[in-house]
Amino acid sequence: MRIILLNLLFIAVTLPCFAQNLQGWLIYFGNTKIKESKFSIHQEIQLRDYKIVGDHHQTLVRVGAQYQLKPYLVTTLGYGFIYTESFGEPNNPFVEHRIYQEALFNHSMGKAKFRHRLRLEERFIQNQEFRGRFRYCLFADIPLTDKGFAKHGAYIAVYDELFLNIADDANITVFDRNRAYAGIGYKFRDNLGVQLGYMFQNVGVQQGTNNVLLSFHHNLKIK
């Protein structure tokens, strides 16, 4: 518990350094396993703000059908709905419908857990031409306590994700964005945890953004 408090204190002390460009994300990640089968359902909601709170940026809802091909490999076919507003006023809202396919590879190294996620997206953005996007993300979770990733366990979570555009439009560059994240996680139960972390996002040639992420991770099972 002392380790958790020290890490939370470190985050609280360092975040004000980025306050002039600090954005907030509130996220729910859920996974519902269907009985004893290899099928499960991914459900996700993200609320993103240009500030910590007070200037809505995006609402993202994502759902996917998952199938476990191997103990170390899960595939997903899913759909995402994204509602976006511009910074400040006017909001100039627009929506995006997104279909995606992904493969998630899992492995361990010592006590640490690693995941490699490959995702292909077909994006239908309001008033824009169809485009695709490829994403690769490397996740690493490192336990901080003897309980590891079980109930009352704490861990460090880091990841880096690269986004590449697929489009015929010469005005759209191949590089879309990169996200680098580091945070601390805590498991309230074996199937319920929370993470608090910081993410730096580099979007094209624009100035990077600093983001505070609070995420909840929940596993359910249909009996």
Side-chain angles (χ1 to χ4, degrees):
M1 183 59 69
R2 288 195 296 270
I3 295 175
I4 299 172
L5 292 175
L6 286 173
N7 278 273
L8 291 176
L9 179 61
F10 173 78
I11 294 173
V13 170
T14 56
L15 284 180
C17 299
F18 309 104
Q20 61 182 355
N21 188 27
L22 200 58
Q23 303 185 11
W25 292 21
L26 178 63
I27 309 172
Y28 169 82
F29 295 111
N31 183 272
T32 303
K33 185 172 177 58
I34 301 175
K35 298 183 178 181
E36 301 302 325
S37 73
K38 295 184 179 182
F39 289 95
S40 60
I41 300 171
H42 172 81
Q43 58 269 1
E44 177 182 341
I45 300 175
Q46 299 192 23
L47 301 176
R48 303 172 180 176
D49 205 284
Y50 286 109
K51 302 177 182 179
I52 296 297
V53 292
D55 190 354
H56 177 262
H57 177 199
Q58 281 184 330
T59 295
L60 181 150
V61 179
R62 186 182 283 126
V63 63
Q66 297 185 318
Y67 182 76
Q68 187 165 3
L69 283 173
K70 300 287 184 179
Y72 56 84
L73 174 59
V74 176
T75 59
T76 305
L77 174 62
Y79 165 78
F81 173 82
I82 301 91
Y83 172 85
T84 304
E85 293 182 352
S86 300
F87 177 77
E89 296 290 345
N91 290 330
N92 299 319
F94 64 92
V95 300
E96 175 184 349
H97 300 278
R98 187 182 299 172
I99 300 171
Y100 71 96
Q101 305 82 40
E102 74 175 34
L104 183 67
F105 298 85
N106 304 278
H107 67 92
S108 299
M109 187 179 298
K111 294 184 178 181
K113 292 184 178 181
F114 293 87
R115 288 166 289 152
H116 303 264
R117 187 178 71 194
L118 304 172
R119 179 180 290 175
L120 182 64
E121 299 176 330
E122 294 81 45
R123 307 178 65 195
F124 302 87
I125 306 172
Q126 183 178 348
N127 298 325
Q128 296 186 29
E129 296 291 332
F130 167 80
R131 70 179 70 172
R133 188 165 64 182
F134 172 78
R135 299 166 57 168
Y136 168 72
C137 190
L138 171 60
F139 301 88
D141 295 329
I142 306 166
L144 287 173
T145 63
D146 292 337
K147 293 185 179 295
F149 306 105
K151 183 179 180 180
H152 299 319
Y155 61 94
I156 293 174
V158 296
Y159 69 73
D160 190 86
E161 185 169 19
L162 174 66
F163 297 65
L164 299 176
N165 287 312
I166 304 171
D168 293 330
D169 191 340
N171 295 319
I172 299 176
T173 60
V174 174
F175 175 75
D176 181 70
R177 69 191 64 202
N178 189 85
R179 293 173 179 169
Y181 169 89
I184 182 169
Y186 179 77
K187 298 296 288 289
F188 295 108
R189 300 178 181 175
D190 289 334
N191 69 333
L192 178 62
V194 64
Q195 284 184 27
L196 176 63
Y198 162 77
M199 181 188 73
F200 178 78
Q201 179 173 228
N202 179 21
V203 182
V205 296
Q206 302 176 26
Q207 181 180 1
T209 61
N210 301 287
N211 305 268
V212 179
L213 275 63
L214 177 62
S215 59
F216 296 88
H217 305 256
H218 194 196
N219 293 320
L220 301 168
K221 185 175 181 180
I222 298 176
K223 298 182 179 179

